[in-house]
């Protein structure tokens, strides 16, 4: 019943911007911890941003200052605004959710999250 569907991916130039959306249904986004993760083939999945049920945000060092996670509670949708894109941002991006409120040390850990979208490709060209 919980469903997460990513949209807004595609191609961008280095220095450009994209906005990813995670359209959510079957639960209330504001009451879950929500996160964005990315994965390059052959590498481990990386947590890059999360927002908990109190609105507290967390970012990996690799995206801090460039990406912003937010929620539109009226639309029950999670967003990731991606600015100043770099070629190393190229990856499959996933949104995820969980009912629990993690300790901050778990907020960017993929294994904590129980619900996942199917992913969407982001490609950044130089």
């Amino acid at each position: 019943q919980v469903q997460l569907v990513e949209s807004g991916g595609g191609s961008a130039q280095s220095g450009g911007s994209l906005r990813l959306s995670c359209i959510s249904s079957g639960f209330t986004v504001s009451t879950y911890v929500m996160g964005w993760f990315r994965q390059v083939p052959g590498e481990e999945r990386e947590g890059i941003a999360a927002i908990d049920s109190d609105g507290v945000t967390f970012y990996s060092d690799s995206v801090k200052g460039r990406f912003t996670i937010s929620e539109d509670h009226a639309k029950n949708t999670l967003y990731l605004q991606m600015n100043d894109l770099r070629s190393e941002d190229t990856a499959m991006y996933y949104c995820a959710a969980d009912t629990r409120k993690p300790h901050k040390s778990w907020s960017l850990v993929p294994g904590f999250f129980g619900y996942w979208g199917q992913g969407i490709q982001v490609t950044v060209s130089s």
Side-chain angles (χ1 to χ4, degrees):
Q1 193 164 25
V2 169
Q3 189 173 25
L4 304 168
V5 180
E6 299 93 340
S7 64
S11 298
Q13 300 262 77
S14 294
S17 297
L18 287 172
R19 190 192 196 195
L20 303 184
S21 299
C22 178
I23 303 164
S24 305
S25 60
F27 71 103
T28 300
V29 162
S30 63
T31 67
Y32 280 45
V33 61
M34 306 290 295
W36 287 99
F37 300 79
R38 65 188 184 187
Q39 190 166 25
V40 176
E43 299 184 6
E44 293 185 359
R45 190 164 295 187
E46 175 193 16
I48 57 172
I51 180 167
D52 71 16
S53 58
D54 295 321
V56 179
T57 57
F58 307 88
Y59 297 95
S60 68
D61 290 341
S62 62
V63 309
K64 192 174 298 181
R66 300 188 298 122
F67 293 8
T68 302
I69 189 170
S70 64
E71 296 173 347
D72 185 331
H73 293 162
K75 296 181 178 180
N76 205 45
T77 298
L78 177 75
Y79 300 100
L80 184 68
Q81 180 65 47
M82 308 165 66
N83 296 329
D84 191 24
L85 285 163
R86 305 165 181 171
S87 59
E88 56 262 40
D89 294 319
T90 295
M92 187 74 73
Y93 283 72
Y94 302 86
C95 66
D98 202 272
T99 61
R100 300 166 294 174
K101 184 175 182 178
H103 185 272
K104 63 181 182 180
S105 64
W106 287 89
S107 295
L108 299 176
V109 177
F112 178 84
F113 289 79
Y115 300 102
W116 292 84
Q118 290 299 305
I120 191 163
Q121 180 68 35
V122 170
T123 302
V124 183
S125 59
S126 58

